[in-house]
Amino acid sequence: MILELHKKLKAGNISAKELAEEYLKIAEDKNKVLNSYISITKDYAISHLPDKIESILDGIPGCIKDNINILSTNTTAGSQVLKEYISPYTATVISNLDKFTLIGKGNMDSFAFGSTTQNSYFGPSLNPHDINTVAGGSSGGVASAVAAGSAVFGIGSDTGGSVRQPASFCGIVGLKPTYGLISRYGLIAMGSSFDVIGIMANTVDDVALILNEACKYDPKDSTSLNIKKKIDYSKFSDISKLKVGVLKFNDDGVEKDVITAFSNSIEDIKKLGCSVKEVVIDHLKYVIAAYYILVPSEISANMARFDGIRFGYHPKGVKDLEEFYIEARSKFEDEVKRRILIGTYTLSSGYYDAYYSKADAVRRLIKQEFDEAFRDVDVIVSPTSPTVAYRKDKVFDNPLELYLSDIFTIPANLIGAPAISIPNGLSCDNLPTGLQIMGPQLSELNILSLANKLYKKYG
Ligand code: GLN
């Protein structure tokens, strides 16, 4: 889609202004129902149009998750405490995308903590496939916008699945690249050793084209990878010799339709000529526990800056510092409070060794096990999410229920590996299911190439 639009723009069949206006109109109409955008940036879009079309993304309409800073735009991270915040600078990934057209900032669970967008101060984003269901999360607004056709592509963040799970719920493609491949400079941090910026679009080709632009070494991010050999991710490789591992998992809690769709895709992978082999990860049962100790620990450190003085809600008319802190922190959404509390506990001196150190050791064991598995296979496939999109009125009384649904997406974040979610057919209720393809670090070309072949069937 991007290539065709680029050709039209370049040939002058449509101007960047006309394209921007067309997408802004769709965004404004659809947002009334879907709530994909926290802000639709019409003035910004029109005042930043490219003079001439040079690079591939010039003039292409995009939706950016609202935890990524863009100079002079409102960046809320989906939270009440940042609802007035105006970015003083632009994230590197945004500068790398040249003169794309910013349609708006995508809705998200506050500070990216969640899987439904129900934790957003601005209300949930709905799923264009069925507006009685949510778009998933935390980058649900971006997925909803891309699936509804109000943006050609989207940029989100993925700490434990936040690009892939909403992509799966909304029937689009979502890529979480290798940790460090895309600069995090300008992303509001969640769990810094897990966070990556990810890409969403309707096709694998589009995701590959955006990745080409997005991944440049950035000295402003100390974990940015400096890869000397430039890869063209849109030149897919031959995958007929690929060794595909099929993750063995416990069926409990995985919906029947998801299992059926997954089994069908294994047959399709075999038809492509790939060899297929079961992969057992003994420590899979510990990934949720390790993640939900390590990530809140990192969160509790990262959230310290939202103290109402440096960033965040600044209370007025309070009598002393203690009351100031209490007031400032009281504005955090419930899930934010929960994670700060868990993280403060797991890092506290009496419990650090019992929780944080242990979870960190488990993370290392999981990495070792995956490293070993990747000596045998090139990629590992699994469902993206154990369920299709949740009903919008579903209440999760126990947060653990929702945490457990991250079982397939979290491993890639724990080990810093790339993974993609592609549409994998519909459930009986006509809701999208997703297939995840994960590979060892820097195997993006392999997973995109296999994804592209399979996408042809279900996309
Ligand atoms: N659902 C996961 C969580 O709530 C993932 C969030 C994310 O990737 N930002 O932690």
Side-chain angles (χ1 to χ4, degrees):
M1 190 169 183
I2 290 179
L3 206 55
E4 287 96 83
L5 278 175
H6 174 67
K7 282 185 190 151
K8 278 193 194 162
L9 284 164
K10 191 124 187 147
N13 298 345
I14 187 167
S15 71
K17 182 156 187 262
E18 284 162 348
L19 195 63
E21 280 167 349
E22 182 185 324
Y23 275 81
L24 285 162
K25 170 97 181 52
I26 303 174
E28 267 157 13
D29 286 348
K30 299 220 166 170
N31 211 41
K32 293 180 192 126
V33 176
L34 297 175
N35 196 31
S36 315
Y37 295 90
I38 291 176
S39 52
I40 294 177
T41 46
K42 189 169 182 178
D43 293 346
Y44 185 97
I46 301 298
S47 60
H48 286 76
L49 292 168
D51 299 329
K52 48 179 189 308
I53 304 298
E54 287 163 334
S55 36
I56 181 99
L57 295 179
D58 288 350
I60 304 292
C63 170
I64 306 299
K65 188 175 184 178
D66 211 16
N67 58 353
I68 297 174
N69 283 286
I70 303 178
L71 177 68
S72 304
T73 67
N74 186 206
T75 299
T76 68
S79 176
Q80 172 172 217
V81 305
L82 289 179
K83 74 175 194 289
E84 317 287 350
Y85 183 69
I86 304 293
S87 299
Y89 69 107
T90 294
T92 300
V93 64
I94 301 300
S95 317
N96 287 350
L97 300 182
D98 295 315
K99 290 190 165 265
F100 78 96
T101 295
L102 179 69
I103 299 298
K105 302 293 294 288
N107 189 21
M108 55 183 284
D109 289 293
S110 88
F111 289 101
F113 309 167
S115 309
T116 61
T117 57
Q118 286 166 324
N119 295 337
S120 169
Y121 173 67
F122 304 91
S125 291
L126 301 183
N127 193 320
H129 284 266
D130 177 351
I131 56 167
N132 292 310
T133 65
V134 294
S138 65
S139 319
V142 181
S144 162
V146 172
S150 65
V152 172
F153 74 93
I155 299 292
S157 64
D158 189 313
T159 303
S162 277
V163 161
R164 290 160 286 157
Q165 185 259 28
S168 169
F169 278 16
C170 291
I172 61 167
V173 182
L175 173 73
K176 172 229 176 274
T178 301
Y179 181 78
L181 192 60
I182 298 181
S183 167
R184 289 181 291 123
Y185 178 75
L187 168 72
I188 296 180
M190 177 177 166
S192 304
S193 75
F194 294 76
D195 295 343
V196 297
I197 284 181
I199 301 165
M200 290 189 245
N202 277 298
T203 67
V204 179
D205 289 286
D206 285 357
V207 167
L209 288 173
I210 297 162
L211 182 62
N212 277 346
E213 305 302 310
C215 65
K216 293 192 183 87
Y217 169 65
D218 180 13
K220 292 195 198 113
D221 171 358
S222 62
T223 59
S224 173
L225 297 174
N226 192 355
I227 297 164
K228 295 281 178 297
K229 195 169 156 261
K230 182 91 186 133
I231 295 174
D232 181 349
Y233 294 104
S234 66
K235 294 226 158 45
F236 299 129
S237 51
D238 173 25
I239 49 90
S240 58
K241 303 259 169 348
L242 217 61
K243 289 185 252 160
V244 177
V246 178
L247 185 72
K248 185 170 162 45
F249 56 88
N250 183 344
D251 284 4
D252 292 352
V254 185
E255 285 176 1
K256 211 172 113 267
D257 289 356
V258 170
I259 294 179
T260 310
F262 181 61
S263 311
N264 291 342
S265 58
I266 306 302
E267 294 312 309
D268 289 325
I269 291 171
K270 286 182 191 156
K271 283 186 205 139
L272 295 174
C274 307
S275 65
V276 166
K277 170 179 180 190
E278 186 176 76
V279 167
V280 180
I281 302 288
D282 288 331
H283 288 87
L284 194 64
K285 53 183 177 293
Y286 300 122
V287 302
I288 304 276
Y291 174 93
Y292 278 98
I293 290 172
L294 295 171
V295 168
S297 302
E298 295 190 16
I299 285 173
S300 75
N302 277 325
M303 294 303 288
R305 62 176 68 95
F306 299 100
D307 55 7
I309 297 168
R310 286 168 294 175
F311 298 98
Y313 170 68
H314 187 91
K316 305 222 164 56
V318 288
K319 69 173 188 315
D320 56 20
L321 189 61
E322 192 176 347
E323 201 178 304
F324 182 92
Y325 276 138
I326 292 171
E327 262 302 293
R329 307 281 166 113
S330 70
K331 290 286 187 287
F332 283 133
E333 291 75 20
D334 286 352
E335 183 63 22
V336 179
K337 289 181 191 159
R338 182 178 295 121
R339 298 211 187 188
I340 295 173
L341 286 171
I342 296 173
T344 310
Y345 182 82
T346 51
L347 289 180
S348 61
S349 62
Y351 297 99
Y352 185 92
D353 286 337
Y355 292 100
Y356 184 81
S357 302
K358 201 147 204 173
D360 201 37
V362 171
R363 183 182 195 179
R364 245 171 296 136
L365 288 175
I366 292 167
K367 168 113 177 55
Q368 273 170 19
E369 246 195 290
F370 272 99
D371 284 350
E372 235 160 77
F374 283 128
R375 264 179 230 131
D376 237 16
V377 295
D378 300 307
V379 297
I380 296 177
V381 293
S382 70
T384 306
S385 163
T387 71
V388 294
Y390 309 113
R391 310 285 304 170
K392 68 174 178 202
D393 47 18
K394 183 169 165 69
V395 182
F396 291 91
D397 294 323
N398 181 354
L400 278 182
E401 194 188 338
L402 204 52
Y403 295 173
L404 288 170
S405 70
D406 295 334
I407 177 76
F408 297 123
T409 49
I410 282 177
N413 301 82
L414 279 169
I415 70 170
I420 195 168
S421 177
I422 56 168
N424 195 25
L426 300 175
S427 70
C428 295
D429 296 330
N430 281 323
L431 287 169
T433 67
L435 173 73
Q436 176 176 259
I437 308 168
M438 177 182 166
Q441 292 199 349
L442 298 175
S443 65
E444 274 79 0
L445 190 59
N446 264 350
I447 64 173
L448 284 162
S449 304
L450 178 60
N452 187 54
K453 278 274 186 234
L454 292 168
Y455 175 83
K456 298 273 182 288
K457 189 162 166 70
Y458 301 113

